[in-house]
Amino acid sequence: MSADGLGRVKDSWLSAPLMLMTRLTLRFPIASIAVAIGLALACLAVTNAKLGYRTSRLDLLDPNSDYNRLWIDYINEFGDEDDAVVVVEGPGRDKVVPVLQEIAAQLAREDRLFHAVLHGVDLNKIRAKGLHYLSSDELLGVERFLAEAKPIIDGQWARLKLGNMATGMASRLEMLSKVPASPDFAGARQEVDRLSDSLLSTLNQKRQYISPWPGMPQSFATLSELNSEYLLTNEGRLGFVLLRMSRGEDGFARCNEAVDALRELIAKVEASHPGTRVGLTGLPVMENDEMRASQSSMLWASIISFVGVAVLFVAGFGGVRHALLANVVLLLGMAWSFGFVTVTIGHLNILSVSFTSTLIGIGIDYGIHYISRYIQLAGSYRDPKDTLLATSRGVGAAILTGALTTAVAFLRPVSQASPASPSWA
């Protein structure tokens, strides 16, 4: 048994280089600290400038899988933008439509943040193509009416006299009576009925006026009433405005600027229209809320983890000095890790962005191991330098082995990495 009571530690092939590194550090302490801090600051600067975020769920899937390839092909063909939806709720159409119009007008002015704004469908142009929607019989009826009306339009107003109309219709019925099954005979009978009804309504002043002319086909009459239609439902009590938002360079949570501007606009419109409620939904909005909540939660989780580790360190070792030193070294190591990720990979995804808390929980274990051994050996050596050398010799190889095996466990296979990413993504 050695003086420390733990038995002699057998040297490994890692012991010599680790002790050499410790001797160099002890020989040049100021320079070693300066290099460590300078490297950490450089890593933080590179991370702040270059580290990107991939928040798409596609980055969590194997890009070589068949289903993922099909989905990527679909996105390349049709795009991956989804609609955000502004929902307006009010007592009726007369209250909802003005709000829809105001929101759409304001969104159209913010073309840098919003595009493809849709709050209604203009059906006026369909009326110009109305004849395409008529049946063959209705088109024949229109053609016959135009043929009968053309002489009158050309100036033959005598045709409108009652005697002339009755004489012409009688001659036509007499000629068509020879073929009662003819469609023209049935049409003539209908004209007689219309003329008779019109005369009776004119003679009887209590009755409503009836035109002697054929009515417009029902489908054509419906088309003539078409106008602008808004996106309404629930009998006009709910209205919708569809739009797409510019993503911009918002980092982890995309569309931040657009979502904030849209919510501010909605609040102003809702305040100026009492009695209506305006809300915002849609996949881009929900994803933005999710990413913001995740980002905030991860920040607070990292802070609480770091403070909790420091408090437990103090409670476990009964002093502040060692806990402070261990946490400072942990912060330096985390800065180096961020720099390494930025240089080798360049981005984080939805899962790997949480590795800060993992680094705190796993990284402090090595500090605990080292400091525990140092405190244990402190009574066996007069000079702290000898204690540090003995600590590096005794536990340095174990700590390095633990770090390497942990890195291997977290190493992502090359076959599962995305084409543009190294194997550690």
Side-chain angles (χ1 to χ4, degrees), residues 58 61-70 72 414-419:
L58 291 176
L61 304 175
D62 181 6
N64 296 321
S65 61
D66 293 337
Y67 58 86
N68 203 18
R69 285 181 176 179
L70 291 174
I72 292 174
V414 176
S415 61
Q416 294 181 6
S418 59

Side-chain angles (χ1 to χ4, degrees), residues 96-267:
V96 171
V97 169
V99 180
L100 296 177
Q101 293 174 334
E102 182 175 348
I103 292 175
Q106 295 194 34
L107 290 175
R109 289 195 291 266
E110 294 288 344
D111 55 353
R112 184 178 66 87
L113 298 176
F114 312 109
H115 61 280
V117 180
L118 176 65
H119 72 292
V121 181
D122 187 6
L123 302 176
N124 290 325
K125 295 181 179 180
I126 296 180
R127 289 189 293 184
K129 305 292 183 180
L131 293 177
H132 294 280
Y133 296 90
L134 299 182
S135 64
S136 300
D137 294 338
E138 290 172 333
L139 289 173
L140 289 174
V142 172
E143 185 178 10
R144 285 194 298 267
F145 176 76
L146 291 176
E148 294 175 4
K150 188 176 185 303
I152 300 174
I153 296 174
D154 291 339
Q156 300 180 21
W157 299 100
R159 286 175 172 266
L160 294 178
K161 292 183 179 181
L162 181 59
N164 293 338
M165 293 178 64
T167 302
M169 191 169 294
S171 300
R172 183 180 175 188
L173 287 173
E174 183 178 359
M175 183 179 60
L176 294 174
S177 62
K178 300 176 182 179
V179 190
S182 173
D184 293 336
F185 182 79
R189 290 290 302 270
Q190 291 178 359
E191 291 180 16
V192 171
D193 293 338
R194 285 198 303 270
L195 181 59
S196 302
D197 292 339
S198 178
L199 289 172
L200 290 175
S201 65
T202 302
L203 295 174
N204 188 355
Q205 297 181 357
K206 295 182 179 181
R207 296 183 61 181
Q208 187 178 3
Y209 171 75
I210 298 177
S211 173
W213 300 101
M216 184 181 297
Q218 182 61 37
S219 56
F220 199 78
T222 302
L223 288 171
S224 67
E225 297 173 358
L226 292 179
N227 205 339
S228 295
E229 289 292 333
Y230 297 97
L231 305 181
L232 300 173
T233 187
N234 197 17
E235 298 180 352
R237 290 191 290 269
L238 280 179
F240 306 95
V241 178
L242 307 181
L243 68 145
R244 291 182 175 178
M245 300 183 292
S246 301
R247 293 180 177 178
E249 298 294 334
D250 294 322
F252 188 63
R254 297 181 297 182
C255 307
N256 275 345
E257 185 180 1
V259 170
D260 291 340
L262 185 55
R263 285 190 166 130
E264 183 179 354
L265 184 152
I266 286 174

Side-chain angles (χ1 to χ4, degrees), residues 25 44 71 81 118 142 147 156 168 227 244 247 338 354 406 423:
T25 304
L44 291 177
W71 179 246
E81 287 188 283
L118 176 65
V142 172
Q156 300 180 21
N227 205 339
R244 291 182 175 178
R247 293 180 177 178
F338 273 103
S354 62
T406 302
S423 59

